[in-house]
Each structure stands twice: as C-alpha cells, then as structure tokens.
Amino acid sequence: MKVLVIGPGGREHAIVRSLLADPYVSEVHAAPGNAGIAQVVPVHSIDASDPAAVTALAERLASDLVVIGPEAPLAAGVADALASAGIPVFGPSRAAAQLEASKAFAKQVMAAANVPTAMARVAVSAAEAAEALDTFGAPYVVKDDGLAAGKGVVVTSSRDEALAHAQTCFDAGGSVVIEEFLDGPEVSLFVLSDGHNVLPLAPAQDFKRIYDDDAGPNTGGMGAYSPLEWAPAGLVEEVIERVAQPTIDEMAHRGAPFTGVLYCGLALTSRGVRVVEFNARFGDPETQAVLARLKTPLGGLLMAAAKGELDRINDLAWSRQTAVAVVLASANYPDTPRTGDRVRGLKKASALEGVHVLHAGTSLSEEGKVVSSGGRVLAVVGLGDDLVEARSKAYDGVGLLDLEGGQFRTDIGLKAARGEVFGSASKEA
C-alpha cells in the first residue's frame, strides 16, 4: 500500500522509518518532511494544517492511507477532510482531537468515564486562578487549556510564577487548567484505537525539562526510553481497563469516535495510576524509542485502526532490546531557538552499530548542507541488550554530532539504569 505521512518532525521520521521496514508498504511519501526524511522518501512542500491541500496531495498520490503526525493538523480538521474524500486516515477527527486541543474538555470526558486523574479547576481570570491555586496549594500546576506543543505547563513552588503563567494565557485570549500536583514517576503509553477497539504499545518514559535532573523549563521532550523494567506488573492492562477503553467508549457515546493513537500521560502516584493528560497523536520523542523496538509491521496496524479492524490484530511482536532516544536541541531552546546552524557528524553517528539518527528540526541550506530549522534538531536512538548498553550507544552517537550551541541532557534513563524509580508527573506530555 501507499502511505502519506503528514508532519515535519522526529516523530514523523520515526514513523516513516518503520513504514519503510513494512513489507506490505510499497511506497511512502511525506509532507512537508525535513532534511532527514527527504533522504529516504519523496517529500512535498505543503501546509500540513490545510485540509484541502493535504486531501488534494493524497488524491494525487493515490494514497491508500494517510498518517497524521502532529496535533495542529488534527485540530484543523485534516482527518475530517480526508475521511470525507473516502481516504483512510490514521488520526482522529477535529471533534475527537479535542481530547488534546482542550484540557478542560479532556477533564470532562474523564469525569464522565470515571477515569482517575488529578483534581482540577478551569480558570478564565486572575481571581479564579488565585482561588484555584490556593485550593490545591504548592507545588502549583498551571496548564494552558489549548495546544502548546508540550510547553504550556508550569510546575512551580512559586505562587507568583504560577499566576504569571496563567496571566500570560489570559492575555493571549485563553484559559487555564489548574490541577493538584501528582507525585510519583511518569509513564507514557500509546494506545491505538479504531473508534471502539484498543491496542496498547509498549510503555515509555520521557524527559520534559531542558536540563539534567529535571531542571529548567518544560520542552517538547529531551529524550525517552522503552521498555520500563521497573513498571508494576499489570500496569498496561490496568491502564486499558481504567483509562483507555473507558475514554474511547465515552468518545463514541458522544458521537465523536476516536480513531488514531491516544497518548496516555500517566502518573504512578501513591494513590494509584492517575492521568496527567491525553494527547491525540504519537508523542515525541517517545515514538522514536517505542517504534525502534516494534517488530510487527506498522503499516498494517495503522490501516487496521483506520478501517475499524483492530480486533483482527494478534499480539504485537517486540524486540527484546531496550531503546534510548536522546534529543539534540538548538541554542536558546525552548525560548527562542536559534536556527540556520550547520549540523555535522551525521554519517559518523549513523554508522555506529545499534544507532540511528532521526531528524526533527532540519532543512537543507542553499549549498545542500543540513542545518537546524527548529528547536529540537535531532534524536539519536541507541538499541542495546539493556538500558545501560542502549544509553551508551545513544550517547556515543550524540558525541559524534556537532551543532554550535547544541543542547542535550546527559541523564536520559540514567536513574532507571541505576535502579532508581523517580520523577514527578504533573508535566505536559
């Protein structure tokens, strides 16, 4: 089958890479793609959030399946346009994507479905925000209600900082969700859905803050690893039973069936599993680590979800290896990322055994050289027999890359490799 992948980032590069390994996939295209994706499949320069443009491209390419990567095209209704044209699409409708586009909506759905999550209040004014902050106390958790590309959350012990973030959202015409702080390690679980049936992938853990030891502001994600050897037995089954299936059932009940991947951002608290938040698409950079281990052909899975046939899929096959993804970000990320810097060492890093490099914010200069074009530039994925070996390979790859002002965390998976379960979970996934 012919597959069109929509999006420009590392998640999309990982998806393209997995689709190319699927013997049933004959052709892969991407739009708009990036410099790395363009090295392996044809790319098309269109606005990924323009429903008409995406549909026209899919029709011209005679695509059998369209896979939508980022959240913005989903919120713009790209999946709706494709479905109306009779083109199978992996990605939820605009109505179903509200699970990510509005945190307040997601809280309503979770309440209706009895899904365990943090207590929360929606605030539309400074007075309401102050009251909510005082109700829950420190640490304070303030989330932009709309799409924020993984960076709309402030978790702080400073009430003034929390109020300032809320005011920034109000000034932009938005609202905020203020929650109780959730203790315990965080887990990311992707659950495929065809609108009724669900199928989980392997859990992962990501690292949102820019600096080691979870310091600094939230980013879109600085690295991830999978599987989680420390995760409690039966965790995936519990999440399916208490979180994913009830949510999918509630969306179907509301007349907005969810087709695509439900990203469950979870906290393993002292009171049990709690949902931190939902995303309506594959998370980045967890996708890079999870798909590196998936042995079941990806194209067939995504097509089954698009066609409402996930119940026909048998158990998934996974590599026994561990995958670690380390993100190389540009100077000044996540505030005002510097772009246009030359990226060197790509061939050397990719030549390492058990290592592959996925492009995110890259493009080609006029001279045909790879340069940075976004905040997160690359993800280096290492595969090893255990977490220690996978980390070593990933960081060996990072060490061969050269990006002026480039930033990366040195502790992706480190504490887990030492046998320490850690982390606080009121972070945006």
Side-chain angles (χ1 to χ4, degrees), residues 181-195:
F181 178 80
L182 296 177
D183 64 330
E186 62 177 299
V187 173
S188 303
L189 182 66
F190 300 139
V191 180
L192 305 183
S193 171
D194 62 9

PDB file of all heavy atoms in Angstrom, residues 181-195:
ATOM      1  N   PHE A 181      -1.029  18.740  42.338  1.00  0.00           N
ATOM      2  CA  PHE A 181       0.253  18.166  41.944  1.00  0.00           C
ATOM      3  C   PHE A 181       0.208  16.656  42.136  1.00  0.00           C
ATOM      4  O   PHE A 181      -0.291  16.152  43.144  1.00  0.00           O
ATOM      5  CB  PHE A 181       1.367  18.771  42.798  1.00  0.00           C
ATOM      6  CG  PHE A 181       2.728  18.209  42.503  1.00  0.00           C
ATOM      7  CD1 PHE A 181       3.451  18.667  41.413  1.00  0.00           C
ATOM      8  CD2 PHE A 181       3.278  17.237  43.322  1.00  0.00           C
ATOM      9  CE1 PHE A 181       4.714  18.160  41.140  1.00  0.00           C
ATOM     10  CE2 PHE A 181       4.548  16.725  43.063  1.00  0.00           C
ATOM     11  CZ  PHE A 181       5.257  17.187  41.963  1.00  0.00           C
ATOM     12  N   LEU A 182       0.724  15.927  41.141  1.00  0.00           N
ATOM     13  CA  LEU A 182       0.766  14.468  41.218  1.00  0.00           C
ATOM     14  C   LEU A 182       2.190  14.015  41.503  1.00  0.00           C
ATOM     15  O   LEU A 182       3.119  14.376  40.796  1.00  0.00           O
ATOM     16  CB  LEU A 182       0.282  13.846  39.905  1.00  0.00           C
ATOM     17  CG  LEU A 182      -1.183  14.116  39.538  1.00  0.00           C
ATOM     18  CD1 LEU A 182      -1.497  13.511  38.173  1.00  0.00           C
ATOM     19  CD2 LEU A 182      -2.122  13.553  40.596  1.00  0.00           C
ATOM     20  N   ASP A 183       2.338  13.197  42.539  1.00  0.00           N
ATOM     21  CA  ASP A 183       3.653  12.664  42.880  1.00  0.00           C
ATOM     22  C   ASP A 183       3.899  11.377  42.094  1.00  0.00           C
ATOM     23  O   ASP A 183       3.011  10.826  41.481  1.00  0.00           O
ATOM     24  CB  ASP A 183       3.744  12.395  44.385  1.00  0.00           C
ATOM     25  CG  ASP A 183       2.769  11.307  44.826  1.00  0.00           C
ATOM     26  OD1 ASP A 183       1.703  11.180  44.197  1.00  0.00           O
ATOM     27  OD2 ASP A 183       3.062  10.592  45.793  1.00  0.00           O
ATOM     28  N   GLY A 184       5.126  10.910  42.142  1.00  0.00           N
ATOM     29  CA  GLY A 184       5.449   9.618  41.557  1.00  0.00           C
ATOM     30  C   GLY A 184       5.977   9.696  40.140  1.00  0.00           C
ATOM     31  O   GLY A 184       5.860  10.722  39.464  1.00  0.00           O
ATOM     32  N   PRO A 185       6.583   8.599  39.647  1.00  0.00           N
ATOM     33  CA  PRO A 185       7.153   8.582  38.293  1.00  0.00           C
ATOM     34  C   PRO A 185       6.074   8.678  37.230  1.00  0.00           C
ATOM     35  O   PRO A 185       4.920   8.298  37.444  1.00  0.00           O
ATOM     36  CB  PRO A 185       7.870   7.237  38.229  1.00  0.00           C
ATOM     37  CG  PRO A 185       7.166   6.381  39.226  1.00  0.00           C
ATOM     38  CD  PRO A 185       6.757   7.308  40.336  1.00  0.00           C
ATOM     39  N   GLU A 186       6.466   9.173  36.073  1.00  0.00           N
ATOM     40  CA  GLU A 186       5.533   9.295  34.970  1.00  0.00           C
ATOM     41  C   GLU A 186       5.792   8.224  33.931  1.00  0.00           C
ATOM     42  O   GLU A 186       6.915   7.748  33.753  1.00  0.00           O
ATOM     43  CB  GLU A 186       5.612  10.675  34.332  1.00  0.00           C
ATOM     44  CG  GLU A 186       6.957  11.016  33.736  1.00  0.00           C
ATOM     45  CD  GLU A 186       6.942  12.373  33.055  1.00  0.00           C
ATOM     46  OE1 GLU A 186       6.172  12.543  32.106  1.00  0.00           O
ATOM     47  OE2 GLU A 186       7.721  13.250  33.482  1.00  0.00           O
ATOM     48  N   VAL A 187       4.734   7.834  33.247  1.00  0.00           N
ATOM     49  CA  VAL A 187       4.784   6.811  32.210  1.00  0.00           C
ATOM     50  C   VAL A 187       3.964   7.294  31.018  1.00  0.00           C
ATOM     51  O   VAL A 187       2.904   7.898  31.189  1.00  0.00           O
ATOM     52  CB  VAL A 187       4.208   5.465  32.717  1.00  0.00           C
ATOM     53  CG1 VAL A 187       4.104   4.453  31.576  1.00  0.00           C
ATOM     54  CG2 VAL A 187       5.077   4.901  33.831  1.00  0.00           C
ATOM     55  N   SER A 188       4.483   7.033  29.823  1.00  0.00           N
ATOM     56  CA  SER A 188       3.743   7.332  28.602  1.00  0.00           C
ATOM     57  C   SER A 188       3.309   6.020  27.965  1.00  0.00           C
ATOM     58  O   SER A 188       4.133   5.117  27.794  1.00  0.00           O
ATOM     59  CB  SER A 188       4.614   8.108  27.612  1.00  0.00           C
ATOM     60  OG  SER A 188       5.097   9.300  28.175  1.00  0.00           O
ATOM     61  N   LEU A 189       2.045   5.915  27.614  1.00  0.00           N
ATOM     62  CA  LEU A 189       1.546   4.715  26.946  1.00  0.00           C
ATOM     63  C   LEU A 189       0.731   5.112  25.728  1.00  0.00           C
ATOM     64  O   LEU A 189      -0.252   5.843  25.837  1.00  0.00           O
ATOM     65  CB  LEU A 189       0.683   3.872  27.892  1.00  0.00           C
ATOM     66  CG  LEU A 189       0.151   2.563  27.283  1.00  0.00           C
ATOM     67  CD1 LEU A 189       1.297   1.603  26.981  1.00  0.00           C
ATOM     68  CD2 LEU A 189      -0.872   1.902  28.208  1.00  0.00           C
ATOM     69  N   PHE A 190       1.150   4.635  24.552  1.00  0.00           N
ATOM     70  CA  PHE A 190       0.390   4.843  23.326  1.00  0.00           C
ATOM     71  C   PHE A 190      -0.633   3.719  23.197  1.00  0.00           C
ATOM     72  O   PHE A 190      -0.281   2.539  23.309  1.00  0.00           O
ATOM     73  CB  PHE A 190       1.292   4.797  22.092  1.00  0.00           C
ATOM     74  CG  PHE A 190       2.382   5.823  22.072  1.00  0.00           C
ATOM     75  CD1 PHE A 190       3.648   5.491  21.645  1.00  0.00           C
ATOM     76  CD2 PHE A 190       2.144   7.127  22.461  1.00  0.00           C
ATOM     77  CE1 PHE A 190       4.662   6.438  21.584  1.00  0.00           C
ATOM     78  CE2 PHE A 190       3.141   8.080  22.420  1.00  0.00           C
ATOM     79  CZ  PHE A 190       4.407   7.736  21.984  1.00  0.00           C
ATOM     80  N   VAL A 191      -1.873   4.101  22.930  1.00  0.00           N
ATOM     81  CA  VAL A 191      -2.931   3.108  22.729  1.00  0.00           C
ATOM     82  C   VAL A 191      -3.584   3.361  21.370  1.00  0.00           C
ATOM     83  O   VAL A 191      -4.191   4.416  21.152  1.00  0.00           O
ATOM     84  CB  VAL A 191      -3.982   3.176  23.854  1.00  0.00           C
ATOM     85  CG1 VAL A 191      -5.068   2.127  23.612  1.00  0.00           C
ATOM     86  CG2 VAL A 191      -3.342   2.959  25.217  1.00  0.00           C
ATOM     87  N   LEU A 192      -3.456   2.417  20.457  1.00  0.00           N
ATOM     88  CA  LEU A 192      -4.106   2.536  19.162  1.00  0.00           C
ATOM     89  C   LEU A 192      -5.599   2.296  19.331  1.00  0.00           C
ATOM     90  O   LEU A 192      -6.024   1.456  20.123  1.00  0.00           O
ATOM     91  CB  LEU A 192      -3.540   1.515  18.168  1.00  0.00           C
ATOM     92  CG  LEU A 192      -2.023   1.517  17.950  1.00  0.00           C
ATOM     93  CD1 LEU A 192      -1.648   0.500  16.880  1.00  0.00           C
ATOM     94  CD2 LEU A 192      -1.523   2.895  17.586  1.00  0.00           C
ATOM     95  N   SER A 193      -6.403   3.019  18.573  1.00  0.00           N
ATOM     96  CA  SER A 193      -7.857   2.883  18.655  1.00  0.00           C
ATOM     97  C   SER A 193      -8.467   2.976  17.265  1.00  0.00           C
ATOM     98  O   SER A 193      -8.025   3.777  16.440  1.00  0.00           O
ATOM     99  CB  SER A 193      -8.456   3.984  19.552  1.00  0.00           C
ATOM    100  OG  SER A 193      -9.866   3.979  19.463  1.00  0.00           O
ATOM    101  N   ASP A 194      -9.473   2.150  17.021  1.00  0.00           N
ATOM    102  CA  ASP A 194     -10.223   2.240  15.762  1.00  0.00           C
ATOM    103  C   ASP A 194     -11.603   2.849  15.969  1.00  0.00           C
ATOM    104  O   ASP A 194     -12.476   2.768  15.114  1.00  0.00           O
ATOM    105  CB  ASP A 194     -10.342   0.869  15.095  1.00  0.00           C
ATOM    106  CG  ASP A 194     -11.101  -0.158  15.937  1.00  0.00           C
ATOM    107  OD1 ASP A 194     -11.693   0.222  16.980  1.00  0.00           O
ATOM    108  OD2 ASP A 194     -11.110  -1.345  15.566  1.00  0.00           O
ATOM    109  N   GLY A 195     -11.782   3.485  17.127  1.00  0.00           N
ATOM    110  CA  GLY A 195     -13.064   4.078  17.473  1.00  0.00           C
ATOM    111  C   GLY A 195     -13.824   3.263  18.490  1.00  0.00           C
ATOM    112  O   GLY A 195     -14.704   3.774  19.187  1.00  0.00           O
TER     113      GLY A 195
END
